């Protein structure tokens, strides 16, 4: 008989109602200790979740989140200002480099002009010396020949005129070079 009873477990029931109720429970009942354990686990998970929900919605937490959001917004604003300041700095550095190059170019030009002024002043000194030598030579000639005073007067007048022209040209050239 034991074999028949054991075999009945493996045989399919004939009653359809009995079959549907057994298939819902898989033919076995849930042990009480396992049900209590599952209930305890559900309560154990539910209590911390409720506690977390209460803490998360507390005034301090909400205020903290608001403060964090404001801090992030302020940080983004400061970052934008920093980026703008860096862009402006790069622009000003480029302008400074251009200005430095212009200063170098102007200094080189000034040195060239100063060299040209010195050269022209040397030429002017040479011309003045030549004029002085000619004037001295002419004076000696005029002293040697005192007979023709009227022509000597015109020659001296002409030499004085030449001296004035040379001096004026020298001053104009010097002024023109210095203005550049």
């Amino acid at each position: 008989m034991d074999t028949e009873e054991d075999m009945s477990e493996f045989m399919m029931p004939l009653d359809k109602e009995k079959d549907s109720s057994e298939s819902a429970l898989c033919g076995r009942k849930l042990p009480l200790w396992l049900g209590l354990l599952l209930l305890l686990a559900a309560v154990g998970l539910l209590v911390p979740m409720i506690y977390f929900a209460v803490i998360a919605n507390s005034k301090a937490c909400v205020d903290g989140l608001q403060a964090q959001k404001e801090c992030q917004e302020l940080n983004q604003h400061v970052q934008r200002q920093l980026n703008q300041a860096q862009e402006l700095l790069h622009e000003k550095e480029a302008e400074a480099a251009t200005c430095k190059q212009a200063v170098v170019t102007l200094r080189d030009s000034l040195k060239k002009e100063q060299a040209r002024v010195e050269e022209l002043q040397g030429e002017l000194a040479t011309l003045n010396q030549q004029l002085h030598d000619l004037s001295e030579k002419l004076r000696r000639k005029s002293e040697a020949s005192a007979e023709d005073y009227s022509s000597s007067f015109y020659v001296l007048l002409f030499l004085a005129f030449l001296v004035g022209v040379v001096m004026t040209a020298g001053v104009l050239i010097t002024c023109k070079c210095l203005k550049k």
Side-chain angles (χ1 to χ4, degrees):
M1 277 221 163
D2 284 337
T3 352
E4 286 181 20
E5 287 178 13
D6 288 340
M7 293 291 261
S8 67
E9 289 179 8
F10 297 111
M11 296 184 81
M12 296 179 74
L14 298 174
D15 188 16
K16 290 187 178 184
E17 283 182 24
K18 191 176 181 183
D19 182 32
S20 64
S21 66
E22 282 185 8
S23 66
L25 294 175
C26 296
R28 299 188 180 151
K29 289 188 177 182
L30 188 62
L32 181 64
W33 65 270
L34 185 59
L36 289 175
L37 184 64
L38 288 175
L39 181 65
L40 186 63
V43 168
L45 291 174
L46 187 61
V47 168
M49 190 167 69
I50 290 171
Y51 177 75
F52 175 73
V54 167
I55 295 296
N57 290 322
S58 71
K59 181 170 176 26
C61 190
V62 170
D63 290 346
L65 289 173
Q66 181 65 30
Q68 181 182 6
K69 182 180 177 184
E70 290 173 5
C71 184
Q72 286 175 346
E73 290 173 358
L74 182 62
N75 189 22
Q76 290 171 353
H77 177 69
V78 169
Q79 186 65 40
R80 282 191 301 271
Q81 287 180 334
L82 177 63
N83 291 342
Q84 290 173 351
Q86 286 175 338
E87 289 174 8
L88 186 62
L89 175 66
H90 291 308
E91 290 174 8
K92 295 303 176 185
E93 285 174 343
E95 288 177 14
T98 303
C99 289
K100 286 180 182 177
Q101 183 60 40
V103 167
V104 168
T105 303
L106 288 172
R107 282 185 183 158
D108 291 343
S109 178
L110 179 62
K111 287 178 183 177
K112 289 177 184 176
E113 290 299 323
Q114 286 174 340
R116 178 70 178 144
V117 166
E118 289 174 5
E119 179 185 332
L120 290 174
Q121 286 175 342
E123 289 178 14
L124 183 60
T126 304
L127 288 174
N128 281 337
Q129 185 62 40
Q130 289 175 355
L131 184 60
H132 180 68
D133 292 346
L134 286 175
S135 175
E136 193 62 33
K137 187 178 179 183
L138 186 59
R139 188 185 57 78
R140 280 189 230 135
K141 279 186 178 181
S142 67
E143 286 176 0
S145 66
E147 57 195 49
D148 193 12
Y149 289 113
S150 64
S151 66
S152 295
F153 175 72
Y154 290 121
V155 169
L156 285 174
L157 184 64
F158 179 70
L159 285 177
F161 175 73
L162 282 177
V163 168
V165 168
V166 168
M167 292 297 274
T168 304
V171 168
L172 288 175
I173 289 172
T174 303
C175 288
K176 182 178 179 184
C177 289
L178 290 177
K179 284 183 182 177
K180 287 184 180 180

